């Protein structure tokens, strides 16, 4: 039997582990039961990185969520009073949600559900797909116990998307968008039964009752994924993008541009690097006129900093490109310094638009060579220069060490010792290797 607490810890980064530990501490203190659920459990069990931590609580989730944010010095991003759920932004780039275990009863597609408190078991069964309906207990008496009422683990092994019940699309048609997102993001098959449920839902037109906002949320979630374009094409071919923008269809979807963008993103930027959403939006709206693009962007409900960032992105990318192609750049440390402070969105726009080989090469060298080399410098090495950690002098010493490390010429390999006596032709190690002999 797997030790799921061990599996969990080994898949979370340091900040996520700290969040889970703190959640366990404050829930125990408050005498509340808490589980890790949703995508976090799905991704732990399939052995991949976790995007956000979804906690479910059998009592007051809002209170617990706010205590967690306070304890970790994070922020509450939003609160849903009907679902008694909060979204949190926590240190170390950790995103988390804390929600009450609940049931939801719908009287018409896309209608407002009647919400009632429930056990974790019933909460799991009101979810969308079986692979998202697994919970891990973080409670003292049962820590590490897995609850999997719909046998989502079997579907994870079979790589299949199966609905938790026959009414999922009637109840909440936004699950149509989620199904297509997961199909492409995870590369899973849709089970035959879920496929016929989907076809019936589309025939009945349930999708028209889904909010454009829910579609925008799913597009944002898939934007950085390796199969984002395929997912967008699937949404388009089912006529599902219309609610977001009637203009975003066919050639206007810019799949050629998005494919080029996707290639640049995944071949150059290391996986897991945050950012890129604004560059994705820029490419997505490239073929639309200003009014169409403005309408579409409104549906994405960008935050103020995002909206400002988007407005300035192309100008900043142009500036970055011109700095990067400068003939005054001779050393790796110069490339490193320029790109270290640039945003991933700017870099992606340069990769997308620039026809300059030198610019493309410098960006590649930064991510594949200079950045990993700079990360080799340890705090101990800096402290060994005699400066105190946490001081401006420490930062300066760190920068100096990075610069020296990046600009150091690779050490020459020592010339081979002279042979004591001339060897016969074809018997030197090089010649033997050339002849395919050992
Ligand atoms: P991601 O890894 O992208 O966050 P996710 O499945 O965790 O994927 P979230 O939006 O974070 O997506 O939702 C958390 C969990 O809440 C889901 O795994 C699922 O169990 C449940 N859920 C979310 N949206 C719905 C929905 N529309 N209908 C039913 N269950 C949902
Ligand atoms: Mg999630």
């Amino acid at each position: 039997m797997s030790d799921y607490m061990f599996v969990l810890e080994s898949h979370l980064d340091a900040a996520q582990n700290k969040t889970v530990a703190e959640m366990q501490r404050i829930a125990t203190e408050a005498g509340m039961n808490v589980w890790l659920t949703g995508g976090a459990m799905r991704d732990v069990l399939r052995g991949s990185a976790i995007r956000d931590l979804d906690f479910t609580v059998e009592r007051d989730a809002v209170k617990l969520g706010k205590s967690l944010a306070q304890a970790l010095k994070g922020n509450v991003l939003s609160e849903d009073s009907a679902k008694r759920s909060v979204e949190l932004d926590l240190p170390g780039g950790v995103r988390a949600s804390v929600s009450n275990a609940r049931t939801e009863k719908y009287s018409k597609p896309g209608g407002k559900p009647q919400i009632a408190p429930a056990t974790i078991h019933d909460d799991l069964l009101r979810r969308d797909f079986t692979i998202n309906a697994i919970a891990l207990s973080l409670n003292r008496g049962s820590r590490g116990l897995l609850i999997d009422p719909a046998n989502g683990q079997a579907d994870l092994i079979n790589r299949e998307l199966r609905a938790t019940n026959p009414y999922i699309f009637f109840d909440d048609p936004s699950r149509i968008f989620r199904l297509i997102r997961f199909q492409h993001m995870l590369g899973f098959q849709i089970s035959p039964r879920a496929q016929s449920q989907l076809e019936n839902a589309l025939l009945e037109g349930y999708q028209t009752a889904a909010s454009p906002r829910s579609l925008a949320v799913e597009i944002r979630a898939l934007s950085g994924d390796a199969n984002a374009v395929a997912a967008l094409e699937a949404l388009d071919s089912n006529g599902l993008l219309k609610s977001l923008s009637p203009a975003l269809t066919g050639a206007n979807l810019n799949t050629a541009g998005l494919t080029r963008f996707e290639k640049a993103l995944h071949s150059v930027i290391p996986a897991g690097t945050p950012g890129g959403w604004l560059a994705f939006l820029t490419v997505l709206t490239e073929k639309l006129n200003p009014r169409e693009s403005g309408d579409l962007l409104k549906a994405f409900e960008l935050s103020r900093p995002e909206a400002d960032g988007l407005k300035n992105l192309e100008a900043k990318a142009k500036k970055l490109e011109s700095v990067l192609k400068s003939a005054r750049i001779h050393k790796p440390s110069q490339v490193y310094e320029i790109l270290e402070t640039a945003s991933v969105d700017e870099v992606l726009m340069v990769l997308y638009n620039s026809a300059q080989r030198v610019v493309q090469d410098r960006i590649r060298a930064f991510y594949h060579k200079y950045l990993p080399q700079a990360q080799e410098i340890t705090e101990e090495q800096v402290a060994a220069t005699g400066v105190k950690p946490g001081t401006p002098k420490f930062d300066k010493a760190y920068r100096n060490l990075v610069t020296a490390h990046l600009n150091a010429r690779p050490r020459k390999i020592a010339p081979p010792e002279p042979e004591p006596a001339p060897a016969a032709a074809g018997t030197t190690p090089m010649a033997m290797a050339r002849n395919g002999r050992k």
Side-chain angles (χ1 to χ4, degrees), residues 222-260:
L222 62 80
S223 65
D225 190 71
N227 294 319
V229 177
L232 284 172
E233 280 176 323
L235 289 167
D236 184 35
S237 66
N238 284 295
L240 297 172
L241 293 175
K242 275 189 236 147
S243 70
L244 211 51
S245 160
L248 191 69
T249 183
N252 274 353
L253 184 55
N254 194 21
T255 47
L258 285 166
T259 305
R260 199 152 53 81

Side-chain angles (χ1 to χ4, degrees), residues 7 41 108 112 133 201-202 212 242 256 273 279 286 292 330 332 348 356 382 385 389 392 413 437:
V7 177
M41 279 318 299
K108 61 172 189 199
K112 262 211 162 119
L202 292 173
K242 275 189 236 147
T273 308
E286 196 176 62
E292 292 164 342
H330 302 294
L348 278 168
Q356 301 273 333
V382 187
T385 64
I413 299 163
R437 287 156 53 192

Side-chain angles (χ1 to χ4, degrees), residues 83-97:
K83 291 182 176 166
R84 294 213 241 142
S85 167
V86 282
E87 293 279 335
L88 308 177
D89 180 18
L90 302 172
V94 177
R95 282 293 178 103
S97 70

Side-chain angles (χ1 to χ4, degrees), residues 306 329 344:
E306 282 176 335
I329 296 180
V344 168

Side-chain angles (χ1 to χ4, degrees), residues 47-309:
S48 66
I50 288 148
R51 295 149 71 100
D52 54 16
L53 296 166
D54 305 305
F55 296 104
T56 303
V57 192
E58 273 183 351
R59 267 168 42 203
D60 195 351
V62 172
K63 196 167 154 211
L64 196 66
K66 287 183 177 170
S67 308
L68 182 67
Q70 201 177 18
L72 290 170
K73 300 194 171 60
N75 296 311
V76 177
L77 290 176
S78 64
E79 178 178 334
D80 183 331
S81 50
K83 291 182 176 166
R84 294 213 241 142
S85 167
V86 282
E87 293 279 335
L88 308 177
D89 180 18
L90 302 172
V94 177
R95 282 293 178 103
S97 70
V98 187
S99 310
N100 257 37
R102 61 183 188 269
T103 52
E104 295 177 353
K105 286 213 165 62
Y106 295 81
S107 51
K108 61 172 189 199
K112 262 211 162 119
Q114 252 183 27
I115 295 173
T119 60
I120 184 69
H121 182 274
D122 290 344
D123 174 276
L124 291 173
L125 288 175
R126 63 99 196 144
R127 291 171 186 253
D128 47 8
F129 306 106
T130 59
I131 59 166
N132 290 340
I134 304 173
L136 179 72
S137 168
L138 301 176
N139 307 310
R140 213 186 344 212
S142 56
R143 186 163 300 151
L145 185 78
L146 209 65
I147 310 180
D148 183 10
N151 202 9
Q153 283 183 98
D155 292 330
L156 277 174
I157 293 168
N158 294 332
R159 302 172 64 79
E160 219 171 30
L161 288 156
R162 189 183 306 277
T164 52
N165 68 73
Y167 312 107
I168 63 159
F169 300 125
F170 173 88
D171 286 347
D172 176 357
S174 76
R175 294 162 181 171
I176 296 173
F177 312 141
R178 287 177 62 81
L179 180 69
I180 293 174
R181 164 158 83 99
F182 291 127
Q183 179 194 12
H184 291 90
M185 236 172 67
L186 307 175
F188 280 20
Q189 299 287 327
I190 300 178
S191 76
R193 187 174 299 180
Q195 180 65 34
S196 75
Q197 289 169 336
L198 171 69
E199 283 163 15
N200 287 339
L202 292 173
L203 272 177
E204 295 287 341
Y206 293 166
Q207 66 277 18
T208 55
S211 70
R213 185 175 187 271
S214 65
L215 177 56
V217 167
E218 297 309 320
I219 291 180
R220 191 191 269 248
L222 62 80
S223 65
D225 190 71
N227 294 319
V229 177
L232 284 172
E233 280 176 323
L235 289 167
D236 184 35
S237 66
N238 284 295
L240 297 172
L241 293 175
K242 275 189 236 147
S243 70
L244 211 51
S245 160
L248 191 69
T249 183
N252 274 353
L253 184 55
N254 194 21
T255 47
L258 285 166
T259 305
R260 199 152 53 81
F261 172 82
E262 206 168 83
K263 197 163 159 238
L265 172 63
H266 299 291
S267 67
V268 180
I269 314 283
T273 308
W277 165 235
L278 300 181
F280 174 88
L281 278 182
T282 308
V283 181
L284 179 71
T285 53
E286 196 176 62
K287 303 280 182 218
L288 304 182
N289 68 34
R291 188 181 47 78
E292 292 164 342
S293 146
D295 287 348
L296 176 60
L297 291 172
K298 235 183 253 156
F300 284 109
E301 297 180 11
L302 301 184
S303 66
R304 186 85 244 184
E306 282 176 335
D308 291 344

